[in-house]
Every structure is written in C-alpha cells, then in structure tokens.
Amino acid sequence: MTKTAVLAGASGFIGGVLAAELETEGYRILRIGRTGPDARWGDTDAITRAVDGAELVINLAGKSVNCRYTDANRQELLRSRIDTTRELRQAIANAKTPPPVWFNASTATIYRYAMDLPQTESTGQIGEGFSVDIATNWEAEFFAGELPGVRRVALRMTIVLGDGPATGMLVNLARVGLGGPQLDHPWFSHRRYRGTGSAPSGSGTAPWHDSRGRQMFSWIHIDDVVGAIRFIRDRAELSGPINLAAPQPSNNRILMRELREAVGMPFGMPAPRAVLEPAMWVLRTEPELVLKSRWVLPERLIEAGYEFQHPNLRGAVRDVVGAPARAR
C-alpha cells in the first residue's frame, strides 16, 4: 500500500526538497497550506482527513524570519507558528488512526547568544528576547496536551545551507566583494527585539556584543536535514527536541572566507553594524540574522549514531555553490 506523508509548509525551500525526496521513497504527499492543495488552514475537518492514517506528518509552516520585525510582522511570525501547530495538534487528536510520528519545525535560535560554550539539548541554556520567545511559545504549543501513540519531534534547525534565501544572500554578498565579516558594535536603541507571547522575556532593548566577527555560526546542509529526518523517523526511541546542526560549527569570519574562496572573490569588505543597520532596513530584514552567535551541537543525533553527509563547512559550502539549483 502507498505510504502517506502530510507536509505543511511545502512551498518553501526545505519543504520543496523534503517533498521531492519523500516521493522518491514512494510516499504520497498531501500538502497543507493557505491555499491547499489538499487541505487549507482553518478547515480542521480536511486536515483531520489528511493526517488520519498517515505514516508521517511534517510541519514547516510559519512566516519567514527574513523580514523586518515591525509590529505587524512580529504578530504574524508568532501567530503563523502557534495557530498552525495548534490546528495540526487538534486534527491529530481527532484522527481515528493518528500518525506514529509528527515532526514540527523549531529553531536553534531558542538558545542564548553563545561564544563561551556550545549549546546541546541536555546542557543548552534558553535565551531571551523576541526570537527566543517565538521558539519557546512554538514548542510549548507543539508539546501541549496528550497524543497517545504519537511520537513528537521538535526540529531545532540551525541555518540551512542549500538553494535557499539565507545561503543565497550570503553567496551574493561574497560575489560582489561584500563578503567580509559582519561586526557588531553599539547602535541606537530600539525595541524590535522585545519579548513576545504569553510571558515576554528580556529587557526589551536590542543587545550588542563585541564579537569582532567571531560570532559562532552553526549550520546544516539541506542533505543532512533530509537525512536526519529519515534517521529519526526510523528510530522510535528518538523524540522531543533535537538539534539539526552540523557537528563542526564555524564562526562568521571563517564562513565569509569560505564563501569568498568558493565564488573566487579575493577580497571582501567588512560590514560593521553601522553599515548593516541601514542596509538591512533597505532589504527589509534584521541584522540579528547575521550578528547573533549561534553555537549549537547535535548531541542527540551523534549519540544515536547519525553519520553526517556534510560534516565540515568547506565541503558544504563548495557543494552548495557548485551544485545546480534544487526544487524550492
């Protein structure tokens, strides 16, 4: 019999690759989105029919963080994650034959700014502020209530290298000679990063750190996102939060150097915050995406025996830069 995988948020970069890879395994893909095609958000009955009897549910839905944190965007970033996760949970609870495993996207941004110690599932420290509150509220909604027989896995993803928007932005910076390190320093105060959700955290002001371009950069290749999901799917003992991160994190200076070398650009101008802030305002995104130090290790995947296809940054960057475009 044909296996069914339900995929929410399949229109994005990661969802497109996952759908294509699952189809090669013989899965029939049912997609949930704002316009369907198989079920639409808000139609819980249709979503229940989709998940009933499915072998696998993967939820990647949520507004992209590659935006300016205006009040409207802040509200939508939270709502689009909480509401979709809640509706899926209700649909799975109503299903006569619920799926044995449900993957829900999360983010490694849930951990604190770290340059002193790596953050793992067992020892990592939850941070504070807007991005962290998005993650903690998201996971709280995901793990709420009882779902007998359903194994729930929160995918705490780091930056995914592949034919996606984050990689594309960094590669383009390197190609045009702007591939130097991104440097933090004091800047005018603002409150875009203030906490949100049921229990807002943090001081409400935007932090800065004297990282000198050595803020940690944790990442994972898109092939290992797919590989890790397959690996976890097939191991019933794995549940709860799991870090999707390569075992060899880097830092911002090394990342930008590897990108410059991969595209054949001999130099790259550094980008201090005074340059980043107006540039990111024009691009309608946030400097936090490149200035936060994310030092995350895949403790649980390594302990379970997962073997990474792309464990080191140089090989991953060269594969991405030299590879043909993937499905989006």
Side-chain angles (χ1 to χ4, degrees):
M1 295 180 63
T2 301
K3 301 175 292 185
T4 298
V6 177
L7 190 54
S11 61
F13 154 57
I14 298 171
V17 173
L18 263 175
E21 292 293 332
L22 289 171
E23 285 178 334
T24 66
E25 291 188 47
Y27 281 93
R28 176 180 67 127
I29 307 297
L30 297 181
R31 294 169 171 83
I32 304 172
R34 290 188 300 272
T35 59
D38 300 300
R40 298 183 182 185
W41 297 118
D43 188 348
T44 305
D45 289 342
I47 296 173
T48 301
R49 289 193 295 271
V51 302
D52 199 349
E55 282 77 19
L56 181 64
V57 172
I58 305 175
N59 179 26
L60 304 172
K63 178 178 173 60
S64 171
V65 297
N66 186 23
C67 66
R68 201 70 173 167
Y69 295 168
T70 62
D71 287 349
N73 283 342
R74 281 168 49 90
Q75 181 177 357
E76 183 60 15
L77 283 164
L78 182 63
R79 186 212 63 78
S80 63
R81 286 159 173 77
I82 301 301
D83 288 0
T84 54
T85 300
R86 180 183 298 125
E87 189 167 12
L88 261 180
R89 180 165 51 78
Q90 292 169 343
I92 290 172
N94 293 335
K96 293 180 180 178
T97 307
V101 59
W102 173 16
F103 292 94
N104 214 66
S106 183
T107 172
T109 300
I110 197 169
Y111 298 114
R112 67 173 174 84
Y113 184 106
M115 292 185 67
D116 54 341
L117 293 170
Q119 307 294 295
T120 69
E121 297 94 338
S122 64
T123 63
Q125 297 172 302
I126 304 302
E128 59 183 24
F130 177 64
S131 297
V132 172
D133 287 353
I134 291 285
T136 55
N137 281 271
W138 198 6
E139 288 194 6
E141 187 64 48
F142 176 51
F143 290 115
E146 297 292 329
L147 292 177
V150 180
R151 179 163 53 102
R152 285 180 273 187
V153 180
L155 302 170
R156 290 182 174 174
M157 278 187 272
T158 51
I159 301 295
V160 178
L161 298 183
D163 188 36
T167 306
M169 176 188 71
L170 293 169
V171 169
N172 288 335
L173 287 174
R175 282 191 171 126
V176 299
L178 299 176
Q182 284 94 41
L183 309 172
D184 203 358
H185 59 72
W187 188 249
F188 299 107
S189 180
H190 63 77
R191 290 179 52 79
R192 296 193 308 277
Y193 299 166
R194 68 190 183 278
T196 189
S198 57
S201 68
S203 66
T205 60
W208 76 274
H209 302 84
D210 188 18
S211 59
R212 303 182 184 182
R214 291 184 174 84
Q215 60 269 27
M216 295 299 293
F217 177 76
S218 288
W219 57 277
I220 187 169
H221 191 287
I222 183 62
D223 290 345
D224 282 311
V225 172
V226 176
I229 288 174
R230 285 173 169 153
F231 181 85
I232 297 165
R233 175 199 61 191
D234 297 337
R235 284 158 179 80
E237 71 275 13
L238 292 177
S239 63
I242 297 182
N243 292 343
L244 294 196
Q248 299 177 26
S250 185
N251 68 37
N252 182 260
R253 284 183 178 271
I254 295 173
L255 165 68
M256 299 313 295
R257 183 190 70 202
E258 293 293 349
L259 287 168
R260 293 195 305 271
E261 291 182 4
V263 301
M265 175 57 68
F267 66 90
M269 292 179 59
R273 189 164 201 143
V275 172
L276 280 174
E277 287 283 356
M280 295 298 196
W281 179 83
V282 171
L283 295 173
R284 308 311 296 163
T285 189
E286 289 290 342
E288 179 189 56
L289 300 179
V290 293
L291 292 178
K292 181 171 180 176
S293 185
R294 298 171 177 87
W295 189 358
V296 181
L297 292 181
E299 177 184 60
R300 297 192 64 197
L301 283 176
I302 290 173
E303 288 179 348
Y306 179 71
E307 295 184 7
F308 283 82
Q309 300 175 58
H310 302 275
N312 65 78
L313 182 63
R314 171 165 290 190
V317 165
R318 303 212 169 193
D319 178 79
V320 168
V321 173
R326 294 174 179 267
R328 288 185 180 273

